[in-house]
């Protein structure tokens, strides 16, 4: 049982199951999707065009939560750097990891009717940017800390003290400004607090997410230390899988963002399970920079997969790489665990791996300069959003009922 869970907590398993379903769809055996390989160059051109428009010099940062903290052209990190100027590199990293963890966990889809008005800039932000900016201000104001003298931290008591009223106020939520899955987000943060408190050996005596830095770097000098990207993800999956609200289990072991599909093969108890770990991987991408800013070299970036969410998946549907078997599927509401959605997400992961080299070819750069984390940022996610705006006023091509913890 433990071996099965460990297998499903690897990106090798994510890719293996995703490619099984892609091969099956290419052979015409999918109930839900057809695959038009001839449209892959079209999708690559859309991504390359958007990438050139956003980053003309092709100096593309990682796809991470830190890009949303730059919304509106504001360098909010400079504010955090100034507040942490007296701290050493590990302390600064802990604070930035605290921020990234709580902000990513609050990043599931906001819905089309919510926005955040930033008082200091007078700007209005929606969707992921709005969630990022709102959580940024919640963090710097001490909204996740139990110690008023130490606002720039996240700790278990601070998380447990949050309720729907506090989070609604932090995000400007009201009857005219509804946020999808508000109660689910609160429950997720409470579960995070429980997980942090339960593992002082990983998160330290004060139970901060930033304890991940010490768990991975240990006593090494950050300036000469290195950490593998998949090791960051593995630690997150080992100790935080129990926080997710999905009740996917093998025995008593929570699987998190891992769903069933009857066509998927695998050894033993892993048969039928398709892992994604989307928010955990999004979090891992968002921790690359805090480790790097502390001087730690992060290796093996392409061990992580593309993110199976509705912008990347929407790019593939909107460019015709994926074709719905019945157009009526687009008119229904779907749950995250429905087989169509599981397969859509799996096909997205597999096809992003195939799309990335085509995008690099169009841009004239190699994989070393443009790892998958930068292709996503340049990139696939942004192109998916552009197409959705062009075709459906920003709405995704499929409607998913969300609890605020996956999409």
């Amino acid at each position: 049982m433990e071996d099965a869970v460990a297998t499903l907590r690897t990106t090798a398993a994510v890719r293996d199951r995703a490619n099984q379903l892609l091969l099956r769809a290419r052979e015409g055996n999918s109930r839900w999707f057809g695959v038009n390989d001839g449209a892959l160059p079209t999708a690559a051109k859309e991504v390359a065009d958007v990438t050139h428009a956003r980053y003309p010099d092709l100096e593309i940062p990682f796809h991470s939560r830190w890009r949303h903290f730059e919304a509106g052209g504001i360098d909010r990190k400079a504010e955090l750097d100034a507040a942490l100027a007296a701290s050493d590199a590990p302390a600064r990293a802990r604070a930035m990891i605290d921020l990234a963890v709580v902000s990513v966990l609050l990043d599931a889809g906001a819905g089309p009717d919510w926005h955040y008005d930033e008082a200091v800039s007078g700007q209005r932000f929606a969707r992921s940017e709005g969630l990022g900016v709102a959580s940024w201000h919640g963090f710097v104001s001490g909204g996740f800390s139990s110690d008023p003298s130490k606002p720039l931290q996240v700790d278990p008591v601070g998380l447990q003290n949050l309720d729907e009223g506090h989070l609604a106020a932090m995000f400007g939520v009201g009857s005219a400004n509804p946020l999808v899955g508000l109660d689910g987000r609160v429950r997720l943060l409470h579960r995070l607090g429980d997980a942090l408190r339960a593992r002082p050996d990983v998160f330290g005596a004060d139970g901060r997410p930033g304890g991940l830095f010490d768990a991975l770097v240990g006593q090494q000098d950050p300036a000469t230390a290195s950490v593998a990207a998949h090791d960051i993800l593995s630690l997150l999956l080992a100790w935080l899988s129990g926080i997710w609200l999905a009740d996917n289990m093998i025995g008593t072991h929570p699987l998190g963002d891992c769903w069933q599909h009857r066509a998927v093969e695998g050894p033993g108890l892993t048969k039928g399970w398709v892992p994604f770990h989307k928010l955990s991987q999004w979090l891992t991408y968002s921790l690359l920079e805090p480790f790097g800013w502390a001087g730690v070299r992060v290796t093996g970036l392409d061990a992580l997969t593309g993110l199976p969410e509705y912008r990347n998946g929407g790019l593939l549907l909107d460019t015709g790489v994926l074709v719905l078997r019945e157009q009526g599927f687009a008119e229904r509401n779907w749950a995250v665990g429905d087989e169509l959605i599981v397969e859509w997400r799996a096909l997205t992961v597999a096809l992003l791996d195939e799309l990335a080299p085509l995008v690099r070819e169009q841009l004239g750069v190699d994989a070393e300069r443009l790892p998958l984390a930068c292709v996503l940022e340049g990139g696939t996610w942004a192109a998916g959003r552009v197409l959705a705006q062009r075709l459906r006023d920003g709405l995704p091509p499929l409607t998913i009922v969300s609890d605020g913890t996956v999409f």
Side-chain angles (χ1 to χ4, degrees):
M1 191 177 296
E2 292 180 357
D3 288 345
V5 173
T7 294
L8 293 171
R9 289 178 179 169
T10 65
T11 54
V14 176
R15 282 191 162 98
D16 171 67
R17 310 303 166 96
N19 279 294
Q20 285 187 43
L21 291 176
L22 178 58
L23 176 62
R24 178 173 174 269
R26 279 184 166 139
E27 292 173 343
N29 295 322
S30 169
R31 174 185 175 188
W32 310 108
F33 296 97
V35 180
N36 176 13
D37 289 319
L40 275 168
T42 300
K45 186 177 187 306
E46 287 279 357
V47 175
D49 288 347
V50 169
T51 300
H52 264 303
R54 299 181 73 227
Y55 299 101
D57 59 2
L58 297 184
E59 293 299 322
I60 304 168
F62 297 140
H63 186 55
S64 91
R65 191 58 158 160
W66 295 90
R67 306 291 77 75
H68 297 149
F69 297 149
E70 300 161 357
I74 299 171
D75 184 4
R76 295 177 182 84
K77 179 178 175 289
E79 175 187 343
L80 187 57
D81 287 337
L84 296 168
S87 302
D88 62 14
R92 291 194 299 272
R94 291 183 202 107
M96 292 179 182
I97 291 169
D98 280 2
L99 166 61
V101 168
V102 76
S103 184
V104 165
L105 294 188
L106 289 166
D107 189 36
D113 301 319
W114 176 83
H115 62 265
Y116 178 74
D117 291 322
E118 186 180 37
V120 66
S121 71
Q123 295 188 70
R124 172 172 289 187
F125 303 102
R127 301 188 183 276
S128 288
E129 287 84 356
L131 293 167
V133 174
S135 59
W136 170 278
H137 286 289
F139 175 79
V140 298
S141 66
F144 305 103
S145 172
S146 64
D147 186 344
S149 69
K150 298 177 181 178
L152 301 179
Q153 69 177 35
V154 175
D155 61 67
V157 175
L159 293 170
Q160 293 293 343
N161 286 342
L162 280 172
D163 58 24
E164 285 189 40
H166 287 110
L167 198 63
M170 190 183 295
F171 281 71
V173 175
S175 58
N177 190 34
L179 176 65
V180 169
L182 181 67
D183 59 335
R185 294 169 205 267
V186 171
R187 284 186 287 151
L188 186 61
L189 293 181
H190 287 174
R191 289 188 177 205
L192 172 63
D194 291 338
L196 295 172
R197 183 184 285 113
R199 296 301 311 221
D201 55 324
V202 176
F203 300 106
D206 52 1
R208 290 176 54 188
L212 289 169
F213 184 84
D214 303 278
L216 288 161
V217 175
Q219 300 303 310
Q220 301 177 79
D221 179 355
T224 58
S226 65
V227 170
H230 200 284
D231 287 346
I232 300 175
L233 176 63
S234 293
L235 196 59
L236 292 172
L237 293 176
W239 305 124
L240 296 184
S241 285
I243 74 174
W244 306 113
L245 302 185
D247 57 0
N248 299 324
M249 310 275 283
I250 290 182
T252 59
H253 298 275
L255 300 178
D257 187 14
C258 185
W259 307 86
Q260 292 187 311
H261 192 299
R262 57 191 165 184
V264 165
E265 296 296 330
L269 295 173
T270 72
K271 182 178 181 179
W273 286 105
V274 184
F276 297 110
H277 310 304
K278 180 254 178 177
L279 276 178
S280 296
Q281 291 205 73
W282 174 229
L283 177 52
T284 303
Y285 279 122
S286 300
L287 295 181
L288 300 179
E289 286 159 304
F291 276 89
W293 291 325
V296 178
R297 186 169 67 96
V298 183
T299 62
L301 300 185
D302 278 353
L304 305 178
T305 77
L307 299 180
E309 42 75 50
Y310 61 82
R311 292 306 184 202
N312 288 325
L315 166 72
L316 297 168
L317 278 170
D318 289 338
T319 55
V321 177
L322 292 178
V323 181
L324 291 169
R325 289 290 187 196
E326 298 179 21
Q327 285 308 304
F329 293 160
E331 300 169 7
R332 291 176 49 184
N333 290 340
W334 300 91
V336 175
D338 287 341
E339 190 175 275
L340 178 142
I341 299 302
V342 174
E343 187 165 319
W344 182 36
R345 299 180 74 198
L347 298 178
T348 297
V349 169
L351 287 166
L352 285 172
D353 277 344
E354 297 188 5
L355 190 62
L358 300 179
V359 173
R360 295 184 189 113
E361 182 180 351
Q362 294 227 10
L363 294 174
V365 296
D366 59 20
E368 183 175 354
R369 183 176 176 189
L370 202 67
L372 183 59
C374 298
V375 174
L376 297 174
E377 173 56 27
T380 59
W381 186 89
R385 172 182 274 188
V386 167
L387 288 168
Q389 190 63 44
R390 187 188 305 165
L391 298 172
R392 292 176 302 277
D393 197 27
L395 294 175
L398 295 173
T399 301
I400 304 163
V401 179
S402 173
D403 66 358
T405 65
V406 176
F407 281 93

